[in-house]
Amino acid sequence: MRDTYLPYGKQWIDDADIETVVNILKSDYLTTGPNIIDFEQNVANYVGAKFAVAFSNGTAALHGATFAAGIGEGDEVITTSLTFAASANCVLYQRGTVVFADIDSKTYNISPTEIEKKITPETKAIIPVHFTGQPAQLDEIHALAKKYNLVVIEDAAHALGATYKGKKIGTLSDMTMFSFHPVKHITTGEGGIITTNSKEYYDKLVQFRSHGITRNPSIMKENHGPWYYEMQFLGYNYRMTDIQAALGSSQLKKLDSFVNRRKEIIKAYNEVFEKISQIQIPYQLPETDSSWHLYILKLNLDQLTVSRKEVFEELQKLNIGVNVHYIPVHTLPYYEQLGYKKGSVPLTEKLYEGIISLPLFPLMQDQDVEDVIEAVKLVIGKVKK
Ligand SMILES: *Cc1c(COP(=O)(O)O)cnc(C)c1O
């Protein structure tokens, strides 16, 4: 078997990326220069949105979105618990209340029916997460948003390059967040972005990203001269550097080929795994085209004599860097302290017990893919009833 460890995700940096970054280091602007504007334009063009605002990371971008949406104390925001903590934390940063709605057990995405059950007069927004890269049921979610007058912020950290009913994710809701962490589709080291078609959200996000400060005379209360600026609300320093932005633009050119390679790997996995009754391959809604951030195998625990933990440990021993996405957010100790209870989203909790994420990144070689398949067959075979 393998003598080197295969991680579950990894960036792909080539010589063009390196040259781009070195050139920025030799230039005048390391931050807040022309590369930010370029990168924002490039991402906006790629997804087909009017505006994009780059942030220091995806979490900061989500915080910008909950701020721009006007979330405050007493406001409720509905999201899924089967996600990274940041999808929910961005509501707490604004002193809002997170409400978890259960998933659809087929797609693993937040269920529109469950969302509607959680709507109250206090509900202000919905944050669907496109789990693993498969878009959530956006038509149904937008219908609820219209009916109850809610803002929709897509957490598309997994879904750059994905489409819903033929349209790229990034233009369909009020705001959409993408992350450029190294395990995501393209990377800037750390980085994130909000895409939107709203000039109002765009202006708020830009100001929020830089301390709440503006130099725009048309919105300042006074103007004492060319040096003058106003801090109009409490913002943060959530700016991306030009070094990161230039890397992002260079990476973006390769996004489609990265996604295609991910799809090739998925195809190879599915072809073998769909024939093994002890495991279940991911289900895809016909109206979605996933960009495949993660590949999740669901273990049919009733057909196995061992636990998920044993399968996980056996695969790790074979140098296959499996992972689990995610520990449901409402069961994390901080959320338990806030009063969230186990049992509140049963389908999410049940799914969590049986899932394992397999390695998936474009730089994986065919031999790596083969190694993962052989290891899974071996481990599942060994533990068969
Ligand atoms: C990665 C991720 C984030 C946060 O992005 P960072 O850039 O790491 O801050 C948010 N939500 C989900 C679902 C993610 O996977």
PDB file of all heavy atoms in Angstrom, residues 56-60 62 83-87 129 155 157-158 177-181 183-184 190-192 293 326, ligand 1:
ATOM      1  N   SER A  56     -10.418  39.327   3.667  1.00  0.00           N
ATOM      2  CA  SER A  56      -9.222  38.626   4.145  1.00  0.00           C
ATOM      3  C   SER A  56      -9.433  37.117   4.278  1.00  0.00           C
ATOM      4  O   SER A  56      -8.480  36.349   4.230  1.00  0.00           O
ATOM      5  CB  SER A  56      -8.775  39.209   5.490  1.00  0.00           C
ATOM      6  OG  SER A  56      -9.881  39.338   6.358  1.00  0.00           O
ATOM      7  N   ASN A  57     -10.669  36.701   4.443  1.00  0.00           N
ATOM      8  CA  ASN A  57     -10.998  35.262   4.446  1.00  0.00           C
ATOM      9  C   ASN A  57     -12.506  35.116   4.266  1.00  0.00           C
ATOM     10  O   ASN A  57     -13.243  36.110   4.316  1.00  0.00           O
ATOM     11  CB  ASN A  57     -10.508  34.566   5.732  1.00  0.00           C
ATOM     12  CG  ASN A  57     -11.047  35.224   6.982  1.00  0.00           C
ATOM     13  OD1 ASN A  57     -12.234  35.164   7.256  1.00  0.00           O
ATOM     14  ND2 ASN A  57     -10.166  35.895   7.721  1.00  0.00           N
ATOM     15  N   GLY A  58     -12.941  33.894   4.082  1.00  0.00           N
ATOM     16  CA  GLY A  58     -14.363  33.659   3.820  1.00  0.00           C
ATOM     17  C   GLY A  58     -15.244  33.983   5.016  1.00  0.00           C
ATOM     18  O   GLY A  58     -16.377  34.447   4.859  1.00  0.00           O
ATOM     19  N   THR A  59     -14.725  33.755   6.215  1.00  0.00           N
ATOM     20  CA  THR A  59     -15.480  34.034   7.433  1.00  0.00           C
ATOM     21  C   THR A  59     -15.738  35.530   7.569  1.00  0.00           C
ATOM     22  O   THR A  59     -16.852  35.957   7.899  1.00  0.00           O
ATOM     23  CB  THR A  59     -14.705  33.495   8.656  1.00  0.00           C
ATOM     24  OG1 THR A  59     -14.450  32.104   8.435  1.00  0.00           O
ATOM     25  CG2 THR A  59     -15.464  33.691   9.936  1.00  0.00           C
ATOM     26  N   ALA A  60     -14.696  36.337   7.297  1.00  0.00           N
ATOM     27  CA  ALA A  60     -14.847  37.797   7.323  1.00  0.00           C
ATOM     28  C   ALA A  60     -15.876  38.230   6.276  1.00  0.00           C
ATOM     29  O   ALA A  60     -16.695  39.136   6.515  1.00  0.00           O
ATOM     30  CB  ALA A  60     -13.502  38.472   7.065  1.00  0.00           C
ATOM     31  N   LEU A  62     -18.436  36.466   5.196  1.00  0.00           N
ATOM     32  CA  LEU A  62     -19.762  36.127   5.735  1.00  0.00           C
ATOM     33  C   LEU A  62     -20.192  37.150   6.789  1.00  0.00           C
ATOM     34  O   LEU A  62     -21.367  37.539   6.847  1.00  0.00           O
ATOM     35  CB  LEU A  62     -19.745  34.735   6.370  1.00  0.00           C
ATOM     36  CG  LEU A  62     -19.905  33.531   5.454  1.00  0.00           C
ATOM     37  CD1 LEU A  62     -19.745  32.246   6.261  1.00  0.00           C
ATOM     38  CD2 LEU A  62     -21.248  33.536   4.732  1.00  0.00           C
ATOM     39  N   THR A  83     -22.339  21.911   8.627  1.00  0.00           N
ATOM     40  CA  THR A  83     -21.480  22.890   7.968  1.00  0.00           C
ATOM     41  C   THR A  83     -20.324  23.234   8.880  1.00  0.00           C
ATOM     42  O   THR A  83     -20.270  22.806  10.041  1.00  0.00           O
ATOM     43  CB  THR A  83     -22.285  24.160   7.613  1.00  0.00           C
ATOM     44  OG1 THR A  83     -21.457  25.053   6.844  1.00  0.00           O
ATOM     45  CG2 THR A  83     -22.769  24.901   8.858  1.00  0.00           C
ATOM     46  N   PHE A  84     -19.417  24.047   8.359  1.00  0.00           N
ATOM     47  CA  PHE A  84     -18.332  24.572   9.158  1.00  0.00           C
ATOM     48  C   PHE A  84     -18.901  25.673  10.066  1.00  0.00           C
ATOM     49  O   PHE A  84     -19.832  26.385   9.669  1.00  0.00           O
ATOM     50  CB  PHE A  84     -17.244  25.128   8.234  1.00  0.00           C
ATOM     51  CG  PHE A  84     -16.041  25.613   8.961  1.00  0.00           C
ATOM     52  CD1 PHE A  84     -15.351  24.775   9.823  1.00  0.00           C
ATOM     53  CD2 PHE A  84     -15.604  26.912   8.799  1.00  0.00           C
ATOM     54  CE1 PHE A  84     -14.242  25.227  10.517  1.00  0.00           C
ATOM     55  CE2 PHE A  84     -14.480  27.367   9.485  1.00  0.00           C
ATOM     56  CZ  PHE A  84     -13.808  26.533  10.344  1.00  0.00           C
ATOM     57  N   ALA A  85     -18.355  25.796  11.265  1.00  0.00           N
ATOM     58  CA  ALA A  85     -18.886  26.722  12.274  1.00  0.00           C
ATOM     59  C   ALA A  85     -19.086  28.148  11.751  1.00  0.00           C
ATOM     60  O   ALA A  85     -20.013  28.851  12.186  1.00  0.00           O
ATOM     61  CB  ALA A  85     -17.949  26.737  13.487  1.00  0.00           C
ATOM     62  N   ALA A  86     -18.253  28.562  10.786  1.00  0.00           N
ATOM     63  CA  ALA A  86     -18.314  29.944  10.293  1.00  0.00           C
ATOM     64  C   ALA A  86     -19.671  30.321   9.712  1.00  0.00           C
ATOM     65  O   ALA A  86     -20.090  31.481   9.804  1.00  0.00           O
ATOM     66  CB  ALA A  86     -17.225  30.178   9.242  1.00  0.00           C
ATOM     67  N   SER A  87     -20.385  29.339   9.129  1.00  0.00           N
ATOM     68  CA  SER A  87     -21.705  29.627   8.541  1.00  0.00           C
ATOM     69  C   SER A  87     -22.683  30.147   9.596  1.00  0.00           C
ATOM     70  O   SER A  87     -23.594  30.915   9.274  1.00  0.00           O
ATOM     71  CB  SER A  87     -22.330  28.367   7.924  1.00  0.00           C
ATOM     72  OG  SER A  87     -21.424  27.665   7.128  1.00  0.00           O
ATOM     73  N   VAL A 129     -26.139  26.562   2.706  1.00  0.00           N
ATOM     74  CA  VAL A 129     -24.751  26.175   2.425  1.00  0.00           C
ATOM     75  C   VAL A 129     -24.814  25.149   1.294  1.00  0.00           C
ATOM     76  O   VAL A 129     -25.576  24.185   1.388  1.00  0.00           O
ATOM     77  CB  VAL A 129     -24.103  25.524   3.665  1.00  0.00           C
ATOM     78  CG1 VAL A 129     -22.677  25.079   3.371  1.00  0.00           C
ATOM     79  CG2 VAL A 129     -24.132  26.490   4.851  1.00  0.00           C
ATOM     80  N   ASP A 155     -23.827  30.556   1.449  1.00  0.00           N
ATOM     81  CA  ASP A 155     -22.475  30.149   1.812  1.00  0.00           C
ATOM     82  C   ASP A 155     -22.033  29.175   0.722  1.00  0.00           C
ATOM     83  O   ASP A 155     -22.374  27.992   0.748  1.00  0.00           O
ATOM     84  CB  ASP A 155     -22.455  29.498   3.196  1.00  0.00           C
ATOM     85  CG  ASP A 155     -21.051  29.028   3.596  1.00  0.00           C
ATOM     86  OD1 ASP A 155     -20.209  28.809   2.689  1.00  0.00           O
ATOM     87  OD2 ASP A 155     -20.799  28.864   4.806  1.00  0.00           O
ATOM     88  N   ALA A 157     -18.900  28.485  -0.076  1.00  0.00           N
ATOM     89  CA  ALA A 157     -17.481  28.153   0.130  1.00  0.00           C
ATOM     90  C   ALA A 157     -17.096  26.873  -0.616  1.00  0.00           C
ATOM     91  O   ALA A 157     -15.950  26.704  -1.012  1.00  0.00           O
ATOM     92  CB  ALA A 157     -17.194  28.003   1.624  1.00  0.00           C
ATOM     93  N   HIS A 158     -18.090  25.984  -0.827  1.00  0.00           N
ATOM     94  CA  HIS A 158     -17.808  24.710  -1.512  1.00  0.00           C
ATOM     95  C   HIS A 158     -18.163  24.757  -2.993  1.00  0.00           C
ATOM     96  O   HIS A 158     -18.013  23.750  -3.673  1.00  0.00           O
ATOM     97  CB  HIS A 158     -18.664  23.582  -0.903  1.00  0.00           C
ATOM     98  CG  HIS A 158     -18.391  23.310   0.541  1.00  0.00           C
ATOM     99  ND1 HIS A 158     -19.022  22.300   1.232  1.00  0.00           N
ATOM    100  CD2 HIS A 158     -17.550  23.890   1.426  1.00  0.00           C
ATOM    101  CE1 HIS A 158     -18.598  22.281   2.482  1.00  0.00           C
ATOM    102  NE2 HIS A 158     -17.714  23.247   2.632  1.00  0.00           N
ATOM    103  N   MET A 177     -21.150  34.055  -0.818  1.00  0.00           N
ATOM    104  CA  MET A 177     -19.775  34.045  -0.309  1.00  0.00           C
ATOM    105  C   MET A 177     -18.984  32.873  -0.895  1.00  0.00           C
ATOM    106  O   MET A 177     -19.483  31.742  -0.911  1.00  0.00           O
ATOM    107  CB  MET A 177     -19.796  33.926   1.221  1.00  0.00           C
ATOM    108  CG  MET A 177     -18.437  33.976   1.888  1.00  0.00           C
ATOM    109  SD  MET A 177     -17.429  32.461   1.824  1.00  0.00           S
ATOM    110  CE  MET A 177     -18.332  31.410   2.954  1.00  0.00           C
ATOM    111  N   PHE A 178     -17.767  33.161  -1.331  1.00  0.00           N
ATOM    112  CA  PHE A 178     -16.817  32.113  -1.725  1.00  0.00           C
ATOM    113  C   PHE A 178     -15.570  32.222  -0.841  1.00  0.00           C
ATOM    114  O   PHE A 178     -15.197  33.322  -0.422  1.00  0.00           O
ATOM    115  CB  PHE A 178     -16.405  32.270  -3.193  1.00  0.00           C
ATOM    116  CG  PHE A 178     -17.537  32.140  -4.167  1.00  0.00           C
ATOM    117  CD1 PHE A 178     -18.092  33.267  -4.753  1.00  0.00           C
ATOM    118  CD2 PHE A 178     -18.063  30.894  -4.495  1.00  0.00           C
ATOM    119  CE1 PHE A 178     -19.150  33.157  -5.656  1.00  0.00           C
ATOM    120  CE2 PHE A 178     -19.115  30.771  -5.395  1.00  0.00           C
ATOM    121  CZ  PHE A 178     -19.654  31.909  -5.977  1.00  0.00           C
ATOM    122  N   SER A 179     -14.936  31.089  -0.588  1.00  0.00           N
ATOM    123  CA  SER A 179     -13.710  31.059   0.223  1.00  0.00           C
ATOM    124  C   SER A 179     -12.531  30.626  -0.644  1.00  0.00           C
ATOM    125  O   SER A 179     -12.694  29.805  -1.547  1.00  0.00           O
ATOM    126  CB  SER A 179     -13.876  30.071   1.382  1.00  0.00           C
ATOM    127  OG  SER A 179     -12.609  29.731   1.940  1.00  0.00           O
ATOM    128  N   PHE A 180     -11.370  31.182  -0.336  1.00  0.00           N
ATOM    129  CA  PHE A 180     -10.154  30.817  -1.080  1.00  0.00           C
ATOM    130  C   PHE A 180      -9.106  30.185  -0.162  1.00  0.00           C
ATOM    131  O   PHE A 180      -7.902  30.350  -0.358  1.00  0.00           O
ATOM    132  CB  PHE A 180      -9.599  32.044  -1.820  1.00  0.00           C
ATOM    133  CG  PHE A 180     -10.631  32.742  -2.660  1.00  0.00           C
ATOM    134  CD1 PHE A 180     -10.991  34.068  -2.397  1.00  0.00           C
ATOM    135  CD2 PHE A 180     -11.269  32.070  -3.693  1.00  0.00           C
ATOM    136  CE1 PHE A 180     -11.965  34.700  -3.158  1.00  0.00           C
ATOM    137  CE2 PHE A 180     -12.252  32.706  -4.459  1.00  0.00           C
ATOM    138  CZ  PHE A 180     -12.599  34.021  -4.189  1.00  0.00           C
ATOM    139  N   HIS A 181      -9.587  29.497   0.859  1.00  0.00           N
ATOM    140  CA  HIS A 181      -8.710  28.680   1.703  1.00  0.00           C
ATOM    141  C   HIS A 181      -8.084  27.593   0.809  1.00  0.00           C
ATOM    142  O   HIS A 181      -8.713  27.145  -0.154  1.00  0.00           O
ATOM    143  CB  HIS A 181      -9.558  28.063   2.820  1.00  0.00           C
ATOM    144  CG  HIS A 181      -8.773  27.214   3.768  1.00  0.00           C
ATOM    145  ND1 HIS A 181      -8.439  25.912   3.480  1.00  0.00           N
ATOM    146  CD2 HIS A 181      -8.242  27.497   4.978  1.00  0.00           C
ATOM    147  CE1 HIS A 181      -7.730  25.419   4.476  1.00  0.00           C
ATOM    148  NE2 HIS A 181      -7.597  26.362   5.400  1.00  0.00           N
ATOM    149  N   VAL A 183      -7.820  24.455   0.699  1.00  0.00           N
ATOM    150  CA  VAL A 183      -8.547  23.230   0.320  1.00  0.00           C
ATOM    151  C   VAL A 183      -9.721  23.516  -0.612  1.00  0.00           C
ATOM    152  O   VAL A 183     -10.299  22.584  -1.164  1.00  0.00           O
ATOM    153  CB  VAL A 183      -9.065  22.404   1.538  1.00  0.00           C
ATOM    154  CG1 VAL A 183      -7.913  21.928   2.394  1.00  0.00           C
ATOM    155  CG2 VAL A 183     -10.094  23.182   2.340  1.00  0.00           C
ATOM    156  N   LYS A 184     -10.071  24.781  -0.798  1.00  0.00           N
ATOM    157  CA  LYS A 184     -11.219  25.117  -1.642  1.00  0.00           C
ATOM    158  C   LYS A 184     -10.814  25.105  -3.125  1.00  0.00           C
ATOM    159  O   LYS A 184      -9.678  24.781  -3.442  1.00  0.00           O
ATOM    160  CB  LYS A 184     -11.803  26.471  -1.210  1.00  0.00           C
ATOM    161  CG  LYS A 184     -12.147  26.543   0.281  1.00  0.00           C
ATOM    162  CD  LYS A 184     -13.389  25.730   0.666  1.00  0.00           C
ATOM    163  CE  LYS A 184     -13.516  25.427   2.135  1.00  0.00           C
ATOM    164  NZ  LYS A 184     -13.820  26.541   3.008  1.00  0.00           N
ATOM    165  N   GLU A 190      -5.230  32.690   2.403  1.00  0.00           N
ATOM    166  CA  GLU A 190      -6.503  32.937   3.069  1.00  0.00           C
ATOM    167  C   GLU A 190      -7.224  33.923   2.173  1.00  0.00           C
ATOM    168  O   GLU A 190      -6.579  34.768   1.542  1.00  0.00           O
ATOM    169  CB  GLU A 190      -6.313  33.578   4.455  1.00  0.00           C
ATOM    170  CG  GLU A 190      -5.631  32.715   5.494  1.00  0.00           C
ATOM    171  CD  GLU A 190      -6.567  31.750   6.207  1.00  0.00           C
ATOM    172  OE1 GLU A 190      -7.779  31.752   5.920  1.00  0.00           O
ATOM    173  OE2 GLU A 190      -6.067  30.983   7.047  1.00  0.00           O
ATOM    174  N   GLY A 191      -8.532  33.872   2.142  1.00  0.00           N
ATOM    175  CA  GLY A 191      -9.258  34.851   1.335  1.00  0.00           C
ATOM    176  C   GLY A 191     -10.704  34.472   1.173  1.00  0.00           C
ATOM    177  O   GLY A 191     -11.082  33.310   1.346  1.00  0.00           O
ATOM    178  N   GLY A 192     -11.509  35.479   0.872  1.00  0.00           N
ATOM    179  CA  GLY A 192     -12.927  35.237   0.629  1.00  0.00           C
ATOM    180  C   GLY A 192     -13.483  36.375  -0.196  1.00  0.00           C
ATOM    181  O   GLY A 192     -12.799  37.384  -0.421  1.00  0.00           O
ATOM    182  N   HIS A 293     -16.458  20.044  -4.102  1.00  0.00           N
ATOM    183  CA  HIS A 293     -15.411  20.359  -3.122  1.00  0.00           C
ATOM    184  C   HIS A 293     -15.064  19.111  -2.309  1.00  0.00           C
ATOM    185  O   HIS A 293     -13.906  18.862  -2.002  1.00  0.00           O
ATOM    186  CB  HIS A 293     -15.890  21.493  -2.217  1.00  0.00           C
ATOM    187  CG  HIS A 293     -15.075  21.664  -0.974  1.00  0.00           C
ATOM    188  ND1 HIS A 293     -13.711  21.866  -1.019  1.00  0.00           N
ATOM    189  CD2 HIS A 293     -15.416  21.647   0.340  1.00  0.00           C
ATOM    190  CE1 HIS A 293     -13.263  21.971   0.231  1.00  0.00           C
ATOM    191  NE2 HIS A 293     -14.256  21.827   1.062  1.00  0.00           N
ATOM    192  N   TYR A 326     -19.519  17.359   8.555  1.00  0.00           N
ATOM    193  CA  TYR A 326     -18.897  18.101   9.641  1.00  0.00           C
ATOM    194  C   TYR A 326     -19.469  17.588  10.943  1.00  0.00           C
ATOM    195  O   TYR A 326     -20.562  17.028  10.955  1.00  0.00           O
ATOM    196  CB  TYR A 326     -19.229  19.600   9.533  1.00  0.00           C
ATOM    197  CG  TYR A 326     -18.598  20.309   8.370  1.00  0.00           C
ATOM    198  CD1 TYR A 326     -19.256  20.391   7.155  1.00  0.00           C
ATOM    199  CD2 TYR A 326     -17.331  20.884   8.491  1.00  0.00           C
ATOM    200  CE1 TYR A 326     -18.661  21.048   6.080  1.00  0.00           C
ATOM    201  CE2 TYR A 326     -16.750  21.553   7.413  1.00  0.00           C
ATOM    202  CZ  TYR A 326     -17.412  21.611   6.216  1.00  0.00           C
ATOM    203  OH  TYR A 326     -16.838  22.259   5.159  1.00  0.00           O
TER     204      TYR A 326
HETATM  205  C1  LIG B   1     -14.205  27.162   4.320  1.00  0.00           C
HETATM  206  C2  LIG B   1     -15.581  27.482   4.758  1.00  0.00           C
HETATM  207  C3  LIG B   1     -15.950  28.732   5.314  1.00  0.00           C
HETATM  208  C4  LIG B   1     -14.984  29.790   5.761  1.00  0.00           C
HETATM  209  O1  LIG B   1     -14.019  30.135   4.899  1.00  0.00           O
HETATM  210  P1  LIG B   1     -12.578  30.655   5.432  1.00  0.00           P
HETATM  211  O2  LIG B   1     -12.046  31.277   4.184  1.00  0.00           O
HETATM  212  O3  LIG B   1     -11.823  29.465   5.886  1.00  0.00           O
HETATM  213  O4  LIG B   1     -12.827  31.647   6.502  1.00  0.00           O
HETATM  214  C5  LIG B   1     -17.287  28.969   5.561  1.00  0.00           C
HETATM  215  N1  LIG B   1     -18.217  28.056   5.309  1.00  0.00           N
HETATM  216  C6  LIG B   1     -17.914  26.836   4.825  1.00  0.00           C
HETATM  217  C7  LIG B   1     -19.001  25.853   4.565  1.00  0.00           C
HETATM  218  C8  LIG B   1     -16.585  26.511   4.549  1.00  0.00           C
HETATM  219  O5  LIG B   1     -16.285  25.279   4.092  1.00  0.00           O
END
